[in-house]
Amino acid sequence: MAKQALLTRDWLYEECAKLDSHTTLEAYFDQLQKVIDKLGFYQYLYTALPSFYEPHSGASPVMHTTYCQEWMQYYVDKNYEKHDSILRHCLSGSESIYYMHQAHRQRDLQAGERQVILDAAQAGIDSGIALPMYNTFGGAGLLTLTARGGEREFSKLFNSCRDSLEIFARSFNESILRHFSSQFCPADVPQLTAREREVLMWLASGMTYDEIADKLAIGVSTTRKHVANVIRKFKARNSTHACALAAKWGLLY
């Protein structure tokens, strides 16, 4: 009864409203852990992936987890990143929930992926879900959850709070990727001024130069100058290419 009282509209609104007040990654992850704990889940892992992320690309995802550290180190030592079917599911662009207990039934699994699933089960990570989440300009987040007990217990818990969990998780992902976009960019991305980023954002949204100038109360020639500076810094072919690069690098949140 106490848990159900948490899942009110007011509770969900309050938790989502808190997100944009955070100024550090630590504050985001502290709130995430408190929400997950209150909902009754056992372990979780949240990973934020830049839009250009690929396994072994050199781009580091931002991660927070309550998984056993021994398992996480084993995962790294075994180089399981390139054999992780959950990660593959997320990077495929699918927004459907990945059910861990159904993973071994997938017909297209490779031998390495099956081994990851078997080893994860030995570590107690076999009854749970993975929720892929995407942002407007391509950034991705992945939240995995497990619960004590078997699949039946997990399903009962997950179904009792699924809607609230998904709403909060997607709000969390959108907020953290927007506020900390610099965390998800390669180190050598050219730096833009605040005005250049603002002009680029409106340009990528489909506005004309005249509309951007009116929106920002600047001249059209000034708007064109900002766009030209971005093109030069990005070494882009044109403004369309510059917008594509900015989206790829996660600069438009």
Side-chain angles (χ1 to χ4, degrees):
M1 186 66 99
K3 183 173 122 17
Q4 289 302 319
L6 288 172
L7 306 185
T8 64
R9 183 178 300 178
D10 287 344
W11 171 80
L12 182 60
Y13 174 79
E14 289 174 4
E15 291 298 328
C16 291
K18 290 177 186 176
L19 292 169
D20 286 341
S21 67
H22 298 324
T23 58
T24 65
L25 286 171
E26 289 75 15
Y28 273 98
F29 292 139
D30 182 60
Q31 184 186 358
L32 177 64
Q33 184 160 357
K34 288 178 179 177
V35 169
I36 296 300
D37 288 347
K38 285 182 179 180
L39 292 179
F41 292 97
Y42 173 46
Q43 295 178 316
Y44 73 87
L45 181 149
Y46 170 78
T47 304
L49 302 168
S51 57
F52 49 85
Y53 179 82
E54 294 178 0
H56 307 293
S57 66
S60 299
V62 173
M63 180 185 297
H64 190 263
T65 185
T66 57
Y67 280 173
C68 170
Q69 290 303 307
E70 290 184 5
W71 161 250
M72 296 303 296
Q73 188 59 53
Y74 182 80
Y75 182 97
V76 172
D77 292 343
K78 286 289 187 177
N79 202 22
Y80 274 168
E81 179 187 32
K82 66 179 182 180
H83 298 301
D84 192 335
S85 58
I86 294 178
L87 186 58
R88 177 164 67 92
H89 175 78
C90 178
L91 295 177
S92 73
S94 173
E95 294 193 72
S96 62
I97 292 174
Y98 183 103
Y99 291 90
M100 294 179 187
H101 74 284
Q102 296 177 351
H104 67 280
R105 302 174 191 168
Q106 292 180 232
R107 295 181 179 179
D108 62 341
L109 287 181
Q110 299 175 359
E113 291 176 323
R114 292 189 184 280
Q115 190 60 51
V116 176
I117 292 170
L118 290 172
D119 286 352
Q122 289 293 318
I125 307 172
D126 59 343
S127 296
I129 59 97
L131 174 65
M133 300 167 288
Y134 299 91
N135 285 60
T136 307
F137 293 106
L142 179 65
L143 178 65
T144 65
L145 295 166
T146 68
R148 296 184 184 278
E151 183 56 33
R152 184 175 181 179
E153 289 79 5
F154 177 86
S155 295
K156 183 178 180 180
L157 174 61
F158 177 60
N159 290 333
S160 73
C161 62
R162 175 173 176 170
D163 290 344
S164 295
L165 175 67
E166 285 201 57
I167 290 171
F168 175 77
R170 295 183 191 283
S171 297
F172 177 91
N173 187 64
E174 186 72 33
S175 183
I176 197 172
L177 284 174
R178 183 174 66 251
H179 286 182
F180 292 93
S181 59
S182 62
Q183 297 281 343
F184 313 105
C185 299
D188 58 349
V189 167
Q191 295 298 306
L192 302 181
T193 67
R195 181 62 86 184
E196 286 167 351
R197 287 176 67 113
E198 197 171 15
V199 168
L200 187 61
M201 181 186 72
W202 292 119
L203 185 66
S205 74
M207 280 190 175
T208 65
Y209 287 173
D210 287 344
E211 290 171 334
I212 295 171
D214 184 60
K215 178 81 174 178
L216 302 179
I218 59 178
V220 175
S221 60
T222 302
T223 301
R224 292 184 181 277
K225 181 179 179 180
H226 286 311
V227 173
N229 286 340
V230 173
I231 292 173
R232 174 179 55 79
K233 288 180 178 181
F234 284 2
K235 297 180 181 179
R237 295 186 298 274
N238 49 43
S239 61
T240 301
H241 187 208
C243 289
L245 289 173
K248 180 180 180 181
W249 293 333
L251 298 178
L252 297 178
Y253 301 124

